[in-house]
Amino acid sequence: MSDPAVQVKPLAHDQIRALQWRGDRLRLLDQRKLPLAEEWIECRGAEEVAQAIRNLVVRGAPAIGIAAAWGVVLAAQRGDDLDKAIATLRATRPTAVNLMWALDRMRARADAGADAPALADEAQKIQDEDLAANRAMGAKGAALIEPGSAVLTHCNTGSLATAGFGTALGVIRAGVAQHRIAQVYAGETRPWLQGARLTMWELQRDGIPATLIADAAASHLLKEGRVRWVIVGADRIAANGDTANKIGTYQLAIAAKHHGVKFMVVAPSSTIDMAAPDGDAIEIELRDPAELLSHDGARTVVEGAQAWNPVFDVTPHALIDAIVTERGVIARPDADRMRAQFGSGGPR
Ligand code: MRU
């Protein structure tokens, strides 16, 4: 039976909506400030949305796709050059394919003659479909987890990173509600601390007890034998199942394989890129080394030091036990199984 410590009120789940459309502006919960402050910023044009994506005010693959779609709507409302707006939004971050997918969808509607209200309908659809996909993935992913399991997650894949509920964190929310998950560990996710700052905040608001670990503690935790699944999101999944996600995911997958712990990737079909044959085709974002050399604006490393700051890595499909999308579960993914689910052209 379940641990009484994880009894949760079903309605306590999933109250956060970090992207809010207000008819002529996009409100974004500023993820740089959480959990110490809950501040919102308002974007009134595509350039402001692009800036918010670049600066990680809004982050997480599905969330940046949704924000970009609203950026196109703002450009259309103001009579701005849509080609330029789309190009600016597309250039903000290279790895999460949801961004390109959402912009391609908006571009197709614009090319078909959609005006600003019709583009707003499309952006709303993108947002609503993401929420529905997350709920579907939550159910499908949770069903794989044996009752009473402990799980480890990485980065933030929750309501903040999506339209709501989350991908990997959606599976965790559903798994806790069904008493399949008895304990949640979250890795800090250096250097930006998405796990420490955002995942811990989301889980605590939902009344889900979670235990924070240093990223470097993961192998030791897995060796202890209590964690049954590592559950992560994705920024882009190639045609053979190779998966780009937050830096540190790959080493978790290696450690999980070594210790006989299962590894689950949870992502909507908008994260699948069948045009990328494998992980080598995925561009990995390099961010400013300053993110590693200082903390909270204060320098922590000796002046003159160099740093290398790739913010995603690719987990080879052979290390993945299941990819969960809203369309179903692909067990032991490879090119054939991916093609069977998504066809050769894929969802894009
Ligand atoms: O740099 P970030 O915070 O945008 O990276 C986010 C991640 O890597 C997430 O795991 C991924 O986007 C999935 S979010 C549902």
Side-chain angles (χ1 to χ4, degrees):
M1 263 318 281
S2 60
D3 176 347
V6 295
Q7 299 286 346
V8 287
K9 301 186 283 296
L11 290 177
H13 291 301
D14 184 30
Q15 301 300 307
I16 304 156
R17 293 292 176 270
L19 296 110
Q20 300 182 358
W21 176 245
R22 287 288 194 265
D24 61 351
R25 60 198 190 280
L26 180 65
R27 286 186 86 225
L28 296 171
L29 180 54
D30 190 342
Q31 301 193 31
R32 299 168 305 178
K33 305 281 172 65
L34 290 171
L36 300 182
E38 291 178 34
E39 289 175 15
W40 293 80
I41 70 154
E42 298 203 334
C43 300
R44 292 174 183 273
E47 178 48 57
E48 286 176 37
V49 174
Q51 182 86 343
I53 295 172
R54 259 184 244 116
N55 294 346
L56 309 183
V57 168
V58 56
R59 32 95 13 230
I64 65 177
I66 295 163
W70 288 118
V72 176
V73 176
L74 289 169
Q77 285 182 339
R78 292 159 45 131
D80 292 346
D81 177 346
L82 281 195
D83 286 340
K84 196 167 159 234
I86 290 173
T88 302
L89 289 159
R90 187 180 283 269
T92 50
R93 298 191 74 188
T95 305
V97 77
N98 309 62
L99 175 66
M100 297 46 171
W101 170 87
L103 289 170
D104 287 349
R105 237 174 106 159
M106 297 302 285
R107 139 89 47 228
R109 295 287 287 124
D111 287 351
D115 57 6
L119 288 172
D121 288 346
E122 189 67 14
Q124 190 62 55
K125 253 196 226 160
I126 289 173
Q127 185 155 352
D128 294 346
E129 286 170 16
D130 187 62
L131 183 56
N134 291 336
R135 294 194 189 288
M137 292 188 291
K140 290 180 207 299
L144 302 176
I145 300 170
E146 307 80 357
S149 298
V151 301
L152 168 64
T153 191
H154 189 55
C155 196
N156 171 267
T157 61
S159 297
L160 293 168
T162 63
F165 200 63
T167 58
L169 218 57
V171 168
I172 290 172
R173 285 189 158 102
V176 169
Q178 296 172 16
H179 304 296
R180 292 172 184 276
I181 296 178
Q183 192 161 15
V184 181
Y185 292 95
E188 277 185 304
T189 319
R190 285 270 301 144
W192 214 69
L193 300 177
Q194 287 94 330
R197 294 191 305 104
L198 308 177
T199 297
M200 295 299 286
W201 180 77
E202 281 202 39
L203 291 177
Q204 192 175 84
R205 280 174 62 111
D206 268 8
I208 297 173
T211 303
L212 182 67
I213 62 164
D215 296 321
S219 293
H220 181 61
L221 173 71
L222 299 186
K223 186 180 168 197
E224 301 255 295
R226 288 186 306 126
V227 169
R228 303 252 188 97
W229 283 92
V230 175
I231 308 178
V232 299
D235 288 83
R236 191 185 292 235
I237 301 176
N240 68 345
D242 289 355
T243 294
N245 189 49
K246 180 53 54 193
I247 192 77
T249 302
Y250 178 29
Q251 65 196 20
L252 290 179
I254 293 170
K257 181 65 92 189
H258 186 73
H259 292 295
V261 173
K262 294 206 168 137
F263 194 88
M264 185 192 305
V265 173
V266 188
S269 55
S270 53
T271 308
I272 310 287
D273 183 0
M274 295 299 279
D278 57 34
D280 291 343
I282 300 176
E283 184 180 347
I284 299 295
E285 180 181 5
L286 285 175
R287 288 184 71 87
D288 189 344
E291 292 180 351
L292 283 172
L293 297 171
S294 350
H295 179 67
D296 230 1
R299 182 89 188 185
T300 50
V301 182
V302 63
E303 289 297 340
Q306 312 271 313
W308 181 54
N309 189 21
V311 299
F312 299 100
D313 58 27
V314 173
T315 298
H317 64 89
L319 297 178
I320 299 171
D321 291 289
I323 291 178
V324 178
T325 76
E326 76 281 12
R327 299 192 190 178
V329 175
I330 303 174
R332 296 180 308 285
D334 61 15
D336 289 342
R337 294 192 176 111
M338 290 290 290
R339 203 175 312 110
Q341 179 90 245
F342 294 107
S344 46
R348 300 190 62 220

